[in-house]
Amino acid sequence: MNVSGDASLEPGALYVVATPIGNLGDLSPRAQAVLGAVSRIAAEDTRTTSALLAHFGIRTPPGGLVALHDHNETRIAEGLIRELADGATLAVVSDAGTPLISDPGYALVRAARAAGRAVYTVPGPCAAIAALSVSGLPTDRFVFAGFLPAKSGARRAAFELIKAEPRTAIYYESTHRIEDSLNDLVAVLGPERRVCLARELTKRFEQSITLPAAELCVWQREDPNRGRGEFVLIVEGAPEVANDGADPEAERVLRLLLAELPASRAARLAAEITGAAKKPLYQLALKIAGDGAGDRDDAESA
Ligand code: SAM
């Protein structure tokens, strides 16, 4: 594959092609060239992809579009891998953004790699990264956690998991749950944690705002339009505690365990899991607990 908008494709290769998340101007010249040159396109929804291709005047051979979604992916992938082995070229796209990121494509890429096929990226829009890049929240370390669960109990449990997580956390959320999700977030992470709500990115009513969680809830309720569209929710990481030189992996494990266990048991387990020394981990656990993360009775000594 060369670096221009021309596609000189490698026979037998799979191309993972990102498509716009709202603004059609974001389909790269190289993506257009690849989509116009491959023998087949595996698409999450063939109607959506047909409309995209038609907009750009991209023609596909008859039968060139094949549906690939969560329910048929493993089965369809087998046939597509056989076609690659015969020298075909294949692109995979989803309805919007980067395939595989909370979208179909994983089974196909995995199968292609297992079969020794080359897999190339044609990168482009991804709502998670687009939102992170405008959020004003730390971008040096982050976790992408996909869609928030639909039910409040499971959602609160998901937020519990990041109570002590120092990295920025990114979630996808659907229209009709955003208000409930923000309420659950405040209930678990408290009113002060800074959160970015990024909505309708690259579209006409694009909006992104970063506020302490409780203020964001108020802002969101002020205007019904702020509950419409597609959302990315970005949560600032938990404040760092001076860790007296503890190994970062040991600290991460300790913080996870502290969400469930008293300081002494969390420190002992974290030491066993990571091989780090127990005593400094216990001191660190007490510090973190002092900040409210492990506020339970801990009479036992390390
Ligand atoms: N693969 C896609 C990507 O790379 O971003 C994500 C697909 S996932 C099924 C769809 C979710 O992504 C939406 O529910 C929303 O949370 C987020 N999303 C997609 N487009 C968006 C946009 N324009 N603005 C904000 N969020 C968006």
Side-chain angles (χ1 to χ4, degrees):
M1 185 77 211
N2 64 22
V3 291
S4 74
D6 299 331
S8 45
L9 300 184
E10 181 179 310
L14 169 64
Y15 294 84
V16 180
V17 181
T19 59
I21 56 170
N23 188 325
L24 291 178
D26 293 335
L27 187 71
S28 74
R30 188 170 158 237
Q32 294 176 46
V34 169
L35 292 174
V38 286
S39 10
R40 293 261 257 175
I41 301 173
E44 179 182 11
D45 182 329
T46 53
R47 284 162 306 178
T48 306
T49 300
S50 293
L52 180 75
L53 297 176
H55 178 86
F56 287 95
I58 298 170
R59 291 173 185 280
T60 48
L65 265 181
V66 54
L68 183 87
H69 41 72
D70 289 341
H71 304 296
N72 73 356
E73 184 168 354
T74 307
R75 181 172 53 81
I76 294 286
E78 282 174 25
L80 292 173
I81 300 303
R82 278 196 296 274
E83 290 182 27
L84 290 178
D86 290 340
T89 48
L90 177 67
V92 57
V93 296
S94 61
D95 287 353
T98 301
L100 285 85
I101 307 302
S102 295
D103 264 343
Y106 171 69
L108 178 61
V109 168
R110 208 174 155 85
R113 286 195 168 273
R117 310 304 338 161
V119 182
Y120 294 112
T121 177
V122 185
C126 173
I129 299 299
L132 177 66
S133 69
V134 296
S135 68
L137 295 175
T139 54
D140 51 341
R141 293 181 301 167
F142 59 88
V143 281
F144 171 64
F147 275 98
L148 277 166
K151 298 220 166 94
S152 178
R155 211 158 44 222
R156 288 187 181 213
F159 288 135
E160 285 287 350
L161 283 178
I162 61 155
K163 215 168 174 176
E165 168 61 67
R167 294 169 293 183
T168 302
I170 308 176
Y171 301 96
Y172 285 157
E173 182 53 295
S174 75
T175 302
H176 46 287
R177 289 196 292 264
I178 191 66
E179 190 172 334
D180 292 343
S181 290
L182 287 175
N183 288 335
D184 286 336
L185 188 152
V186 173
V188 176
L189 300 178
E192 303 293 340
R193 193 75 80 96
R194 288 176 72 75
V195 180
C196 174
L197 186 63
R199 156 175 182 265
E200 295 289 89
L201 294 170
T202 76
K203 302 185 202 175
R204 183 162 170 218
F205 297 110
E206 170 168 351
Q207 223 170 10
S208 58
I209 179 155
T210 302
L211 287 172
E215 288 176 42
L216 188 65
C217 281
V218 173
W219 178 87
Q220 198 271 325
R221 280 196 300 264
E222 275 170 0
D223 178 350
N225 286 323
R226 295 174 182 164
R228 301 206 170 104
E230 298 193 280
F231 298 91
V232 182
L233 203 59
I234 306 197
V235 184
E236 185 167 41
E240 296 277 5
V241 174
N243 72 0
D244 299 333
D247 169 55
E249 176 59 10
E251 180 184 346
R252 193 184 73 78
V253 172
L254 177 69
R255 284 176 176 277
L256 283 174
L257 293 170
L258 269 177
E260 301 293 333
L261 298 172
S264 58
R265 287 176 61 199
R268 194 181 316 128
L269 275 174
E272 269 175 35
I273 293 167
T274 63
K278 188 170 69 180
K279 201 153 192 158
L281 280 179
Y282 180 60
Q283 298 302 330
L284 178 59
L286 291 179
K287 260 191 213 169
I288 296 171
D291 280 4
D295 46 2
R296 48 180 77 74
D297 193 14
D298 190 30
E300 201 183 342
S301 103

